[in-house]
Every structure is written in C-alpha cells, then in structure tokens.
Amino acid sequence: MFFKPGKTWIAAACAALTATAISLPAAAQQQKSVAVTSIVEHPALDAVRDGVKEALAKAGYVDGQNFRWQYQTAQGNVGTAGQIARKFVGDQPDAIVAISTPSAQALLAATKTIPIVFSAVTDPVAGQLTASWNASGTNVTGVSNALDLNRQIDMIQRILPQAKRVGIVYNPGEANSASVIKQFRELLPQRGMTLVEAAAPRSVDVATSARSLLGKVDLFYTNNDNAVMSAYESIVKVANDAKVPLLSADTDSVKRGAVAAYGIDYHELGLQTGEMVVRVLKGDKPGDIKPELGSRLRLFVNTGAAARQGVKLPDDLVKSAQLVIP
C-alpha cells in the first residue's frame, strides 16, 4: 500500500517548510560564491585576504556550509594574474575580490559584468580601475590603502629631524608605486627634502637596488610596493648592515624589521573590504558603491630595529604607538 497524503497533511508540511526557510539566515537560503586573488603572498596582502573571509563569516557566509570560497595568488607574475582572472570569470562567482592593482587590472580586462571588489589598491584612478573616486557605474568598486603622504613625511621628520634625502626602492611598473613616487617628488621639496629613487622591477632586484642607494640617502622609506614587500627581509638586511634607518607605510613591515610605520591595519582593511562584498552579495550593484579609503591608521614601532639601524626613537612617539616591538 502507498501512503496518500490528504490536503490537511500537505498544507501542514508546506507550512513547516515555509517556517524553516524563514528561520534560516538570509545567507543560508541561497548558495553564494566568492573568488579571491592577489598578485603575491606577503603579510599585508594575506591579512587583507583573511579579513575579507572573516567579514563574510560574520555575515553568515561560511565556506563549505552555505558558501564557496576560492583563493589563488599569481606569485608576483602579471601573466599568471591574467590566467587566474580568466579562470575565475569562467567559474562565474557572485563576486571577485582583487587584492592589489595588478590583480584588479587583470580582472577588469577579463570581465565587465561580474562584480569586482578591489582592495589594497592605492590609486584606483591612476590604475584605470575607476574614472574617479565617485561611484563608477560599472562592475568595479573597492577599498583603497592610500595614505596622506604629508602625514608620512611628518613621521619621517619626527623620527629623523635632520634627514634630507629619502631613498625609495620601488617597482616602476606598479601603478600604486608610480603614484606615490609622483606625489613624493612634489611634496618632499616643500619640506626641505629630496627623493632618491632606485627601481626594482622584480623581488630579486630589491637588495641590489637598496645597496645602490647607500651613501646617497639618510633613510629608506618603503611604500606598499608588492615587489618590495615580497622581499622585505632583503632590504631590512641592507638597512641593518649599513645602519640606515628604514621607515615604512606598511605596519606589518615593522614586525619584519622596519623601525616604524604609520599606516593601514591590513586586517581591518580586509574586514572593510569584506563588508563591501557582503553588500554586493545581498544585491547592491558595485557601480553604485563609492570606493572607500581604509578607515583606521596605526603607529607601530620596533625599538630593536631602531637600535640596529642607529636610531633613537623619541619617548613620546614610542608611548603613542599602538604596538611596540622590542
């Protein structure tokens, strides 16, 4: 015999299913997917990635349960970034997170429809990701790690008031770095200082380029250049050996051997980016969301690195720091 449900039983079952659906979190009622890519792995970009995933989890998007997360890095290779972009576009996720300018540029070349949320991009306009800092009207939005460079110069002069020559190693092919260099060329002379540059197109060039500046600079300063960040220990060694102070825009660099940094908390930047991705997953169009700046700056100092590089940090500076590494 077969059970033949009556109308009353069917109505009750439908009501129960409806109640269950209503009780489920919004994120659990529909499977979503997000693909994430970065140009290279280093602590700052890794912190962004982890912050994005944490923000998604807080919003109810849990990988392996109601949500699919995938991540790939290009290992510093722009060609690989293009391959990853095309692969992700073929997967048709609900949103793609691009950590760094090269990754975002590769994705924008691959799709004009799938939502792209960039992060750790210093200048999305110079990088040709958006036409302005207003809502783009396209499939792109995101969170920038741009800093007020006057405040960076304030930090330099507070720590090294006699310094006149600022040495920067950077990849001239990276739009972020080119934008920072252009601004420093204009701002430093206004503060009685000059910029001394050394190009490092690849991570393996960083140490050689840093050594080429010895005798020409009073300090090294590093921005959020991915080639430099992925080989940071090599520039730290040059600074330690030559006793040339190394200052940075990247707080994670202080843990790796820089004397000080006043910059973005990259985990917080990832959380902020993840919150924007959640908006997209819930239906907001990226073209309607204005790009944002990282909202939290922190001062980190490394007193041990200062001693190794011949720097006496002001006591009030150390006391004001959010993190002091001995």
Side-chain angles (χ1 to χ4, degrees), residues 158 299-301 314-324:
R158 188 175 176 189
L299 173 65
F300 285 13
V301 298
D315 291 339
D316 61 336
L317 180 86
V318 175
K319 289 177 182 177
S320 67
Q322 281 73 51
L323 178 67
V324 179

Side-chain angles (χ1 to χ4, degrees), residues 4 13 28 37 125 220 261 310 313:
K4 186 176 182 180
T37 182
V125 179
F220 293 125
L313 291 171

Side-chain angles (χ1 to χ4, degrees), residues 56-322:
L56 289 166
K58 285 180 179 178
Y61 298 96
V62 181
D63 186 27
Q65 295 183 19
N66 62 339
F67 169 69
R68 185 186 177 212
W69 163 281
Q70 57 175 321
Y71 168 76
Q72 289 191 25
T73 176
Q75 300 294 350
N77 189 304
V78 175
T80 304
Q83 294 172 5
I84 293 170
R86 291 188 291 274
K87 190 265 183 189
F88 280 174
V89 170
D91 291 342
Q92 292 290 299
D94 295 287
I96 307 176
V97 179
I99 305 174
S100 77
T101 301
S103 291
Q105 290 170 330
L107 281 164
L108 187 56
T111 180
K112 305 297 182 186
T113 56
I114 297 174
I116 299 170
V117 180
F118 62 75
S119 190
V121 168
T122 300
D123 191 338
V125 179
Q128 299 183 334
L129 302 176
T130 58
S132 72
W133 285 89
N134 296 316
S136 68
T138 68
N139 62 321
V140 180
T141 188
V143 183
S144 169
N145 61 348
L147 296 170
D148 181 344
L149 293 186
N150 274 305
R151 297 178 75 176
Q152 295 297 298
I153 299 170
D154 289 343
M155 176 188 71
I156 292 170
Q157 294 189 320
R158 188 175 176 189
I159 295 172
L160 299 164
Q162 306 304 317
K164 299 297 181 185
R165 302 169 299 171
V166 179
I168 296 185
V169 177
Y170 73 105
N171 176 8
E174 187 168 323
N176 284 350
S177 295
S179 175
V180 169
I181 292 296
K182 181 181 178 181
Q183 292 179 68
F184 264 130
R185 286 172 183 159
E186 297 172 356
L187 293 174
L188 285 171
Q190 298 173 20
R191 308 286 287 270
M193 307 173 83
T194 58
L195 180 67
V196 186
E197 307 164 27
R202 304 168 300 165
S203 298
V204 295
D205 301 322
V206 170
T208 302
S209 297
R211 283 194 292 270
S212 75
L213 294 176
L214 295 178
K216 304 174 185 177
V217 301
D218 300 311
L219 71 138
F220 293 125
Y221 173 85
T222 55
N223 70 308
N224 301 300
D225 184 289
N226 290 300
V228 175
M229 290 297 108
S230 60
Y232 207 74
E233 284 68 24
S234 64
I235 196 170
V236 169
K237 185 177 188 308
V238 174
N240 289 346
D241 290 347
K243 290 194 176 299
V244 176
L246 173 60
L247 307 182
S248 181
D250 168 37
T251 52
D252 283 302
S253 298
V254 177
K255 301 172 186 177
R256 300 168 74 183
V259 168
Y262 183 58
I264 296 289
D265 182 313
Y266 278 85
H267 185 73
E268 292 286 342
L269 191 76
L271 290 173
Q272 189 176 345
T273 305
E275 290 164 1
M276 188 175 284
V277 176
V278 169
R279 290 178 60 183
V280 172
L281 294 180
K282 290 184 176 180
D284 287 359
K285 295 181 179 179
D288 294 336
I289 304 173
K290 288 179 62 174
E292 298 175 358
L293 290 171
S295 58
R296 185 179 179 188
L297 298 182
R298 303 179 75 188
L299 173 65
F300 285 13
V301 298
N302 186 324
T303 56
R308 288 187 289 275
Q309 295 166 23
V311 181
K312 176 64 172 74
L313 291 171
D315 291 339
D316 61 336
L317 180 86
V318 175
K319 289 177 182 177
S320 67
Q322 281 73 51

